[in-house]
Amino acid sequence: MPRELSQKDINLLKQVAPECKGLDCAGSGAPYKSILPPLANHFATSEKDFRERLEKLGQEDLEYLLSLIQNGSESLGCVPPHYMQVFIDLV
């Protein structure tokens, strides 16, 4: 279910992707609606980089991401499966 990123979401995205300057997808021009897809597809350069970025988050932030996934707010459709495995392994 698409959503507008909250300030907390934006802060999390900028924590794991400090180079993030705007909140629009470079490919589609549409605003980001989730945290993990842009991290995986626009900022992380590899699975290792994706993991290292996620490791910057504390337990509370990871639990927040999990709650977004559980309630359907965090879209995972655009996250490559091997990146999702990295997230699952980390959690």
Side-chain angles (χ1 to χ4, degrees):
M1 144 164 84
R3 64 185 163 102
E4 279 191 39
L5 295 181
S6 69
Q7 190 58 53
K8 179 173 182 147
D9 299 330
I10 293 167
N11 291 344
L12 278 177
L13 182 58
K14 292 195 179 224
Q15 185 177 347
V16 295
E19 68 273 33
C20 177
K21 300 298 180 215
L23 297 175
D24 293 329
C25 174
S28 70
Y32 293 141
K33 301 288 185 185
S34 295
I35 299 164
L36 293 174
L39 177 60
N41 295 309
H42 298 289
F43 302 108
T45 58
S46 66
E47 293 170 49
K48 180 179 184 264
D49 183 39
F50 185 71
R51 180 181 185 89
E52 288 171 353
R53 289 168 180 266
L54 288 175
E55 287 174 340
K56 294 177 183 178
L57 299 177
Q59 182 175 343
E60 184 178 307
D61 293 332
L62 288 172
E63 288 175 2
Y64 174 72
L65 271 176
L66 283 172
S67 73
L68 293 176
I69 291 168
Q70 287 175 329
N71 73 25
S73 297
E74 181 70 9
S75 174
L76 301 176
C78 294
V79 179
H82 51 282
Y83 280 71
M84 270 314 301
Q85 190 60 55
V86 169
F87 178 75
I88 291 166
D89 292 346
L90 181 64
V91 172

